[in-house]
Amino acid sequence: MNKYIDEILDLADQAFKEKEIPVGAIIVYEDNIIGRGYNKRVQTNDVTSHAEVNAIREAATQLNDWRLDRCDLYVTLKPCDMCMNIIKESRIKNVYYLVDRNSDKKIYNKTLVRDIIEGDKIDVIKSNYLDKLSDFFKTNGMR
């Protein structure tokens, strides 16, 4: 599990360096990472170029199948509604997120959405990631 957290945080760092909203995502199939993504909306001028969508695209190419029903997605920030719909359409089995987007706990179809892990160590990681998100929005004049 920790190797997945490190990976999504590294991808979020890459997005941050490119002045994108720092979100990182991976797709895992049989304990192997087959898709990686981070936000590239600014870079590509593509509103759909979210971390989750980019990871899904790469994973689908790797499996040569759009159906990712035996895969899990790990992401730093709880997916937005658009991404959640794409995740459901791709049939991803589980979604694990590091930080909740908001307090609205929705149940998404057959896709189980939940925190990656709880505990003292993860609280520090979450806090550091929330600081990074906050710094990004302050630095780039976004709200």
Side-chain angles (χ1 to χ4, degrees), residues 43-88:
Q43 181 182 32
T44 62
N45 290 315
D46 179 357
V47 70
T48 67
S49 195
H50 289 205
E52 301 92 330
V53 175
N54 294 328
I56 288 168
R57 287 177 177 145
E58 187 173 297
T61 299
Q62 287 294 315
L63 290 180
N64 197 29
D65 192 347
W66 62 269
R67 293 174 211 85
L68 303 177
D69 55 337
R70 293 181 289 157
C71 297
D72 296 327
L73 182 140
Y74 293 80
V75 62
T76 53
L77 185 63
K78 185 177 181 180
C80 69
D81 290 340
M82 177 193 74
C83 289
M84 207 55 233
N85 283 319
I86 293 168
I87 290 163
K88 288 190 294 186

Side-chain angles (χ1 to χ4, degrees), residues 5-51:
I5 294 171
D6 291 342
E7 184 73 25
I8 61 176
L9 289 172
D10 287 346
L11 289 163
D13 285 343
Q14 183 64 35
F16 185 79
K17 289 175 189 170
E18 295 180 20
K19 298 190 183 327
E20 298 277 358
I21 297 172
V23 178
I26 59 171
I27 305 290
V28 176
Y29 172 73
E30 296 181 349
D31 205 32
N32 294 305
I33 298 172
I34 61 165
R36 290 175 174 80
Y38 59 89
N39 278 356
K40 293 184 180 182
R41 290 189 313 172
V42 174
Q43 181 182 32
T44 62
N45 290 315
D46 179 357
V47 70
T48 67
S49 195
H50 289 205

Side-chain angles (χ1 to χ4, degrees), residues 82-99:
M82 177 193 74
C83 289
M84 207 55 233
N85 283 319
I86 293 168
I87 290 163
K88 288 190 294 186
E89 288 297 322
S90 66
R91 315 290 196 262
I92 289 173
K93 185 177 177 182
N94 295 294
V95 174
Y96 301 95
Y97 62 89
L98 186 61
V99 175

